[in-house]
Amino acid sequence: MNGQSSAYRDLNTYLQQRFGKKIYKISLSTPFTCPNRDGTLGTRGCLFCSASGSGNFAAVAQLPLERQMEEAKARVRSKLRCKDYGYVAYFQSFSSTYGDLVIQRDLFTRAISDPEVVALSVATRPDCLPEEVLDLLQELSAVKPVWVELGFQSAKEETVKLIRRGYGNAVYEKAVRDLKSRGLEVIVHLIIGLPGETHEDEIASLRYATSLPVDGVKFHLLHVLQGTDLAKMPYEALTLEEYVSRVTDLVRYVPQDVIIHRLTGDGDKKELIAPLWSGDKKRVLNAISAAFRMGHICQGEALK
């Protein structure tokens, strides 16, 4: 969500305060895949995951990293309204730590060596963090801050099986402990609107995920995208009103020391089947902002 909010600790304000300037995320790709796709755990990916591995807006992996970064920066610069700014290098698609360690070291090191980059963010799975990867990330964090974004999605066992996540909650717990013991920053991803889940299930997942020492949380709307197994099954997407009600209420259960990195997301419009309203991101953000104002909602108030 853009701009400063008194209702919750938003990412933009936090980054401005931390680095003293406007910070933008640039989405990058590795040549890696995922254990849910290469046959280790499965070949079809998670139920909702598109062919891009949740990296619909990331740069093309086949491009050299420097070109990926320059093209991503160019897209940001075309919209800039400030002179002092920096970037978070965000390796977004698939599982960015599921691959050759030499390649990981090369890509991550080159990314944080860019003088305009203030931090490295790596999206991955909790079951893709062996000791050698943890050691590498800890080493890099001595140069610039390193965030590790974990695709957790839900704590409900039935949901975990349905979406084919492929690992148990204990694996998530171990990953968070391992990352924090090395001084790394952890961001957990949760999905709103998963099949068969109630809002109470979502609250329970959030409370479980943030009972561990995470630094940030991202809320995602479940999109139905072309080519996914979700698109082949009966599923009724949330309405805009339902989503706004759920996500704003969830903020009430986020601990006050946790940064909220995202309250919504938009799928690739070329692949989006439902909900179509999510394609109008400005409308969604305005609806969320209005709900915060009308409900006088504050982060963490339900935990008091």
Side-chain angles (χ1 to χ4, degrees):
M1 192 170 183
N2 298 323
Q4 184 172 1
S5 169
S6 58
Y8 66 96
R9 296 190 68 194
D10 67 284
L11 179 63
N12 286 337
T13 303
Y14 167 74
L15 291 176
Q16 178 77 42
Q17 293 171 345
R18 180 171 181 177
F19 297 106
K21 55 187 174 183
K22 179 70 174 176
I23 303 297
Y24 297 89
K25 259 191 173 183
I26 51 173
S27 295
L28 309 169
S29 296
T30 69
F32 307 141
T33 180
C34 168
N36 266 7
R37 289 181 178 272
D38 70 354
T40 302
L41 296 175
T43 57
R44 295 182 294 167
C46 291
L47 186 73
F48 49 80
C49 197
S50 68
S52 63
S54 298
N56 297 76
F57 303 107
V60 178
Q62 288 73 23
L63 294 178
L65 179 65
E66 285 73 19
R67 185 175 170 188
Q68 288 190 43
M69 295 181 69
E70 185 49 45
E71 290 186 359
K73 288 180 181 182
R75 287 191 292 272
V76 171
R77 287 195 297 266
S78 67
K79 304 174 184 178
L80 279 181
R81 296 181 180 177
C82 59
K83 296 181 179 179
D84 192 15
Y85 56 89
Y87 300 102
V88 172
Y90 178 32
F91 287 90
Q92 180 181 14
S93 58
F94 298 105
S95 300
S96 298
T97 61
Y98 187 65
D100 186 279
L101 189 67
V102 174
I103 298 176
Q104 288 184 53
R105 176 181 293 278
D106 177 58
L107 291 174
F108 300 161
T109 301
R110 284 156 61 195
I112 63 171
S113 296
D114 186 311
E116 292 184 305
V117 168
V118 300
L120 171 70
S121 186
V122 178
T124 190
R125 295 165 53 100
D127 58 348
C128 295
L129 291 167
E131 289 293 318
E132 60 268 22
V133 168
L134 292 166
D135 291 342
L136 169 61
L137 296 176
Q138 181 179 15
E139 177 186 329
L140 295 172
S141 69
V143 181
K144 290 178 182 176
V146 174
W147 306 345
V148 181
E149 305 202 15
L150 300 176
F152 181 62
Q153 324 310 5
S154 174
K156 187 177 180 180
E157 289 186 8
E158 294 86 349
T159 301
V160 168
K161 294 177 182 177
L162 176 65
I163 66 176
R164 302 194 297 264
R165 193 180 70 184
Y167 65 86
N169 290 344
V171 177
Y172 166 74
E173 294 180 19
K174 182 179 185 303
V176 175
R177 289 195 298 267
D178 288 346
L179 291 164
K180 295 305 297 180
S181 71
R182 287 167 168 79
L184 300 163
E185 299 177 42
V186 179
I187 302 158
V188 59
H189 292 226
L190 295 163
I191 294 181
I192 301 174
L194 286 165
E197 288 213 339
T198 65
H199 183 48
E200 287 68 29
D201 292 329
E202 293 163 351
I203 293 172
S205 291
L206 170 64
R207 297 199 67 176
Y208 173 83
T210 57
S211 66
L212 295 164
V214 300
D215 302 278
V217 63
K218 274 188 176 181
F219 294 112
H220 298 270
L221 164 67
L222 181 62
H223 295 100
V224 184
L225 301 175
Q226 294 177 11
T228 64
D229 284 353
L230 179 61
K232 303 172 186 176
M233 62 182 285
Y235 169 73
E236 185 175 346
L238 296 177
T239 65
L240 173 59
E241 292 73 22
E242 288 172 331
Y243 184 76
V244 170
S245 175
R246 289 192 184 194
V247 74
T248 52
D249 187 55
L250 284 168
V251 167
R252 300 174 59 247
Y253 294 88
V254 178
Q256 292 184 339
D257 61 342
V258 173
I259 305 300
I260 297 179
H261 284 236
R262 174 177 286 177
L263 288 173
T264 187
D266 47 339
D268 189 335
K269 294 179 183 178
K270 298 188 294 294
E271 299 180 6
L272 182 65
I273 297 175
L276 294 177
W277 56 259
S278 66
D280 187 348
K281 192 171 183 179
K282 184 176 181 180
R283 176 191 174 198
V284 178
L285 292 176
N286 287 340
I288 291 173
S289 295
F292 274 125
R293 290 194 301 272
M294 290 188 293
H296 303 288
I297 294 168
C298 291
Q299 178 177 339
E301 64 181 353
L303 302 177
K304 296 178 182 178

